[in-house]
Amino acid sequence: MKAPFEGRKMMNVSRSSLVKVACAALALSVASLVYATVDEAHDFTMEAAMPFVEQGFIVREDYWNGEVKSGQKLMITHQLFKGNEYAFWLGTSQEGVTLDMKVFDEKNQPVQIKATSDKFFMSVRVNPPKTGTYRIVFDLKSKKDAGVLWALSYGYR
Amino acid sequence: MTHLVFSSVFAGLLIGTLNLAAAPQGTKGVEEFDPLAFPGKVVGDVVVPVPSEVFSVLDKLGEPNWRAELRKADLPPSSDRTKLSLLFGYTVAEGFVAVQAEDKEAVKDLGRDIIDLAKSLGLSKSVLPHAQSILDAADKSNWSAIRKEFDQTQKTVRDTMEQMKDIDLSHCVSLGGWLRGTSSVTSVVKKSFSADRAELLNQPMLVEHFVSSIEKMPAGTRDHDVVKSIRKGLTIVLQQMEGAVDGFSKDAVQEISKTCDGLLTEILAKK
C-alpha cells in the first residue's frame, strides 16, 4: 500500500520534471535561435561572396564564426599563398552594425587592396606579396546590442 | 566553421593598444599594426588551406603534369580510427590532385574510397550525399563542383567528429590532407625548381598549429605510432621552414619532401 504522500511526492517530481523539460525546451529553442543567427551571419558572407564567385573566386567551405562584444577587436592568423588573390567576407545578421576589417602581413603592414561594405557584410581583397602568415583584424560595432554574432569566410582565385 | 564558435583565447599577454593610427603625413600614409600591442581577442582556430589553394598557384607558375602526381595507393584495411582519419584526409587531398589532373576515373575511385572510409569511421550518413555528388559531378567532368564537394566532404567529416567530441580525429583528417598536399607540392617544385614555387612551402604557422594539436591530443592518440612519427616529422619540416630565411634551397625542399613521403608511407602501411 502506498503511503498517502507518495502520490503528492510523485506529483512534485512530475512538476519538477515538467519545469526541467520546459527549461530544456527553452534552452534548446534559444540555442537554435543563436545557431540560426550564426548561420545567418554566414549566409551574409556567402551573399557578399556572390559577385566574387562570378569573377572566378573559389569559396572555401571552412569559415570562422562566433559572438563578440560590440567594438571588441578580433584577430585571426591565416596562411596565404603569393600568386593567389584572396577575398575575405565578414558578415553579421544583426541590424545597425558597423563592420571594419583589415589584413596585415608578417611585417605588420596592411595589405588589403580594396574594401567594400554593405548593411550586413563587408569584403576585402588581398594580393599577398609573400607566402606566409597574415593577420586579419576586425571588429563589429552595434548601436543597440552588447554582443554581435559574426562569421568570416574567404575565397581565392 | 561551426566548431569555431567562441574558442578564441584572450590575448591577455598583449598589453597596450592597437596601433592602427595612420602614419604621419609625408611618410607613406600607411597604417601600422603591432600584434604585440593587440588589445583584443585572438581567435585561436586555424583554417587549414585545401591543397588546391597551393595547386592553383603552381598552375599559374607553369603547367605541372598533375597526372604524374597522382598516386594509385591501395588503402590498407584498418579498424584503427586514428589511422582511418589520417587516411580520410589523405584521400580527400588525393582527390584535389585528381581534380587538378582532370582525371575522371581517379576521382571516381577516390569517391568510392571516401565511401569505404566513411563506413569504417561510422560516418556514412553524413558523407554519402557528398560522395555521391562527387561521383555525379565526375560523370559530367564538372571539376569546380568536384573541388567544392571534396572541400565540403572534409568539413562535414571534421564537423561530425567534433560534434562527437573526437577533436583529435578531426585534426588527424587535417594532418593527413596537409601531408599529402605538401608532398604533391614538393614533388612539383623538385621537378621544376624556382624560388617562387619553393616559397609556397613557407607555412610555419600551419606546422606549429599541427604540432600544438598533437600535443593537446589524448594520450591514446598522441602515443599512436603514426602520430608520434608525424610529430617528429613536423619538427624536421618546421626546422626547414624556419631555416629558409632567404628562401628555400633545393635541399630544404628535398628534406620536406622526404619527410612527408616517409610519413605518408607509414599512414598507408598495412599495419
Side-chain angles (χ1 to χ4, degrees):
Chain A
M1 195 176 165
K2 284 178 186 173
F5 57 82
E6 200 170 332
R8 191 173 166 192
K9 188 181 170 192
M10 284 293 288
M11 202 167 75
N12 284 343
V13 169
S14 299
R15 265 189 198 151
S16 151
S17 300
L18 277 174
V19 170
K20 281 180 190 166
V21 169
C23 288
L26 182 66
L28 272 174
S29 61
V30 169
S32 350
L33 187 67
V34 168
Y35 279 113
T37 318
V38 170
D39 285 346
E40 281 168 24
H42 178 244
D43 290 346
F44 278 113
T45 68
M46 292 297 97
E47 191 180 324
M50 277 166 63
F52 290 81
V53 171
E54 285 162 14
Q55 295 168 42
F57 278 83
I58 297 165
V59 179
R60 282 298 314 281
E61 296 300 317
D62 277 333
Y63 58 92
W64 300 265
N65 64 9
E67 186 180 11
V68 64
K69 200 169 84 178
S70 172
Q72 169 82 68
K73 284 191 184 295
L74 291 175
M75 180 169 74
I76 285 171
T77 49
H78 187 55
Q79 172 76 37
L80 299 181
F81 298 96
K82 178 187 168 187
N84 279 338
E85 182 180 359
Y86 291 87
F88 291 91
W89 305 293
L90 177 65
T92 181
S93 53
Q94 288 161 245
E95 295 207 6
V97 175
T98 311
L99 303 96
D100 186 43
M101 172 167 51
K102 292 184 175 69
V103 182
F104 298 89
D105 66 10
E106 281 170 316
K107 290 179 178 168
N108 306 318
Q109 297 299 309
V111 290
Q112 71 275 1
I113 50 172
K114 196 177 176 186
T116 51
S117 49
D118 210 305
K119 196 175 171 188
F120 295 104
F121 53 78
M122 78 169 289
S123 316
V124 300
R125 285 189 191 214
V126 176
N127 271 327
K130 279 188 171 182
T131 291
T133 309
Y134 288 76
R135 293 182 180 89
I136 305 146
V137 176
F138 59 97
D139 64 72
L140 305 98
K141 287 190 188 87
S142 172
K143 287 172 191 160
K144 51 181 184 176
D145 299 313
V148 184
L149 292 156
W150 60 274
L152 177 67
S153 305
Y154 81 99
Y156 65 96
R157 70 171 178 182
Chain B
M1 198 179 207
T2 48
H3 64 282
L4 294 178
V5 179
F6 249 96
S7 63
S8 52
V9 284
F10 193 63
L13 67 164
L14 308 174
I15 307 158
T17 54
L18 180 66
N19 182 6
L20 283 173
Q25 285 185 0
T27 63
K28 283 170 73 182
V30 295
E31 294 164 306
E32 287 185 3
F33 169 64
D34 181 1
L36 294 175
F38 184 64
K41 287 184 177 176
V42 179
V43 179
D45 299 285
V46 171
V47 168
V48 178
V50 284
S52 60
E53 286 187 53
V54 197
F55 296 168
S56 74
V57 180
L58 288 170
D59 274 346
K60 289 169 196 162
L61 294 171
E63 289 183 2
N65 180 358
W66 290 110
R67 280 188 186 250
E69 302 304 328
L70 274 167
R71 292 182 188 176
K72 311 275 185 215
D74 288 328
L75 299 184
S78 180
S79 57
D80 174 347
R81 286 172 66 77
T82 300
K83 201 159 175 179
L84 286 167
S85 305
L86 289 163
L87 284 167
F88 197 95
Y90 168 90
T91 306
V92 170
E94 189 68 27
F96 283 109
V97 182
V99 169
Q100 221 67 24
E102 300 194 348
D103 188 327
K104 199 188 284 191
E105 289 312 311
V107 168
K108 284 183 174 181
D109 288 345
L110 290 160
R112 286 186 278 267
D113 284 345
I114 282 173
I115 293 173
D116 291 342
L117 286 166
K119 276 182 191 163
S120 303
L121 282 162
L123 301 172
S124 311
K125 199 179 161 190
S126 48
V127 170
L128 269 176
H130 295 304
Q132 190 56 52
S133 298
I134 288 169
L135 297 175
D136 293 345
D139 278 331
K140 295 171 192 157
S141 299
N142 187 347
W143 306 113
S144 59
I146 299 169
R147 195 182 285 117
K148 188 178 171 66
E149 285 297 338
F150 275 124
D151 194 358
Q152 273 183 343
T153 305
Q154 181 159 293
K155 177 172 162 43
T156 299
V157 162
R158 288 184 28 244
D159 285 352
T160 309
M161 287 172 162
E162 284 167 25
Q163 281 158 18
M164 295 160 70
K165 309 288 178 207
D166 288 330
I167 294 168
D168 53 329
L169 298 184
S170 164
H171 286 308
C172 284
V173 171
S174 299
L175 264 169
W178 185 82
L179 286 169
R180 177 64 189 108
T182 306
S183 165
S184 304
V185 174
T186 55
S187 175
V188 171
V189 174
K190 281 193 299 181
K191 285 172 188 159
S192 184
F193 185 87
S194 76
D196 278 347
R197 287 189 184 92
E199 194 191 317
L200 294 168
L201 294 166
N202 184 33
Q203 306 173 28
M205 185 271 286
L206 291 178
V207 180
E208 283 164 3
H209 159 70
F210 287 131
V211 169
S212 155
S213 304
I214 291 174
E215 283 167 358
K216 286 176 197 157
M217 285 176 181
T221 313
R222 198 175 57 233
D223 295 337
H224 188 287
D225 284 347
V226 181
V227 176
K228 270 160 66 176
S229 297
I230 293 173
R231 171 72 182 82
K232 209 180 281 180
L234 289 175
T235 308
I236 297 168
V237 171
L238 188 58
Q239 279 168 359
Q240 295 301 327
M241 290 178 179
E242 287 176 342
V245 181
D246 299 320
F248 285 83
S249 65
K250 282 183 184 176
D251 286 347
V253 175
Q254 174 59 34
E255 188 64 26
I256 295 171
S257 175
K258 194 178 82 181
T259 307
C260 290
D261 288 346
L263 295 172
L264 291 173
T265 303
E266 280 194 53
I267 291 170
L268 288 163
K270 289 187 177 69
K271 201 184 102 183

